[in-house]
Amino acid sequence: AAGVIQSPRHLIKEKRETATLKCYPIPRHDTVYWYQQGPGQDPQFLISFYEKMQSDKGSIPDRFSAQQFSDYHSELNMSSLELGDSALYFCASSFGSHNEQFFGPGTRLTVL
Amino acid sequence: AQTVTQSQPEMSVQEAETVTLSCTYDTSESDYYLFWYKQPPSRQMILVIRQEAYKQQNATENRFSVNFQKAAKSFSLKISDSQLGDAAMYFCAYKYSGGGADGLTFGKGTHLIIQP
């Protein structure tokens, strides 16, 4: 069965640079969630989209923005990167906003 | 705001035995979902089991079952006949069901070790 696709899988950036993470949900899924998992931490919810509209917002820094496009894929844009942004970034998708979230493999971001 | 607490940072069990992972949560809502996710060394997040708060019957999925005590706000996971492949971090998670695409709130996780 098709799964959530995230790209790139690994990304290395310098401080103050910009990064864009992409998420392609499971076909027919209309809801996308973004989570950040620091080393040895639990995942922290950042933001979600349902039918291309922002739905819920968690602990997302102002330096980060995201959107969901007409084909339901989503992008997380991160600017002025800091060392503390180094983490595993998960995208999850669901069919409808109340069904199970299926997680992608994550993008490992390293900020040097 | 809701919180999820996993009081066992690490648990160890012999292969083929049964282990129970604890989770408590705090919420003022009456309608919500609870989940257990497994995160093996690959870091992939895998849904193990889901429980709707309005259902009194405890969810089961093969060797995995939960003990859901709504009044006590407790949601423990029992793994029967433990296998080496069960070794992973296990996260308990909460999601409010009355809103839209609300994000999950996770506990800090329990590292499960399976002794051969």
Side-chain angles (χ1 to χ4, degrees):
Chain A
V4 177
I5 297 171
Q6 291 188 246
S7 69
R9 294 293 308 278
H10 302 273
L11 190 58
I12 299 174
K13 291 287 185 178
E14 299 279 341
K15 277 196 318 184
R16 292 180 289 277
E17 285 191 324
T18 297
T20 297
L21 278 53
K22 296 184 179 182
C23 170
Y24 299 87
I26 292 171
R28 297 201 308 131
H29 281 196
D30 51 13
T31 309
V32 167
Y33 306 79
W34 286 97
Y35 294 87
Q36 177 193 58
Q37 186 178 28
Q41 304 292 315
D42 55 294
Q44 295 292 314
F45 169 66
L46 294 178
I47 196 166
S48 65
F49 295 87
Y50 171 63
E51 279 292 345
K52 294 156 277 185
M53 299 285 288
Q54 182 183 307
S55 182
D56 191 20
K57 206 168 181 180
S59 50
I60 185 169
D62 292 340
R63 299 178 289 109
F64 295 6
S65 65
Q67 58 181 320
Q68 186 178 31
F69 294 86
S70 57
D71 64 351
Y72 295 101
H73 94 272
S74 179
E75 295 184 3
L76 178 66
N77 298 292
M78 310 160 71
S79 62
S80 303
L81 287 169
E82 301 173 357
L83 296 178
D85 296 329
S86 294
L88 187 58
Y89 289 84
F90 286 107
C91 170
S93 75
S94 65
F95 177 65
S97 58
H98 294 286
N99 291 316
E100 285 95 73
Q101 297 178 29
F102 293 87
F103 281 73
T107 293
R108 181 172 298 282
L109 172 66
T110 302
V111 181
L112 302 176
Chain B
Q2 63 279 354
T3 58
V4 178
T5 302
Q6 294 179 249
S7 59
Q8 306 152 317
E10 188 173 279
M11 291 283 284
S12 182
V13 65
Q14 291 288 129
E15 195 176 1
E17 295 195 341
T18 295
V19 63
T20 299
L21 308 184
S22 301
C23 173
T24 58
Y25 59 94
D26 189 25
T27 182
S28 57
E29 306 293 346
S30 58
D31 295 322
Y32 49 86
Y33 304 105
L34 296 165
F35 307 86
W36 280 97
Y37 279 88
K38 170 185 177 181
Q39 187 175 43
S42 67
R43 306 297 299 277
Q44 176 75 46
M45 294 291 286
I46 302 164
L47 178 65
V48 175
I49 202 164
R50 158 187 165 138
Q51 174 81 42
E52 287 91 343
Y54 69 86
K55 289 187 177 178
Q56 293 189 346
Q57 186 173 5
N58 290 322
T60 62
E61 284 289 341
N62 301 312
R63 298 182 295 107
F64 299 87
S65 62
V66 298
N67 184 3
F68 173 48
Q69 301 291 326
K70 191 172 184 179
K73 295 181 181 174
S74 170
F75 183 61
S76 61
L77 175 70
K78 185 171 83 170
I79 306 174
S80 304
D81 185 27
S82 299
Q83 300 175 1
L84 294 178
D86 295 333
M89 281 293 288
Y90 285 81
F91 291 99
C92 179
Y94 165 101
K95 175 181 162 71
Y96 173 51
S97 62
D102 287 16
L104 297 167
T105 299
F106 288 91
K108 296 298 182 190
T110 296
H111 181 210
L112 179 63
I113 298 168
I114 310 294
Q115 308 273 10

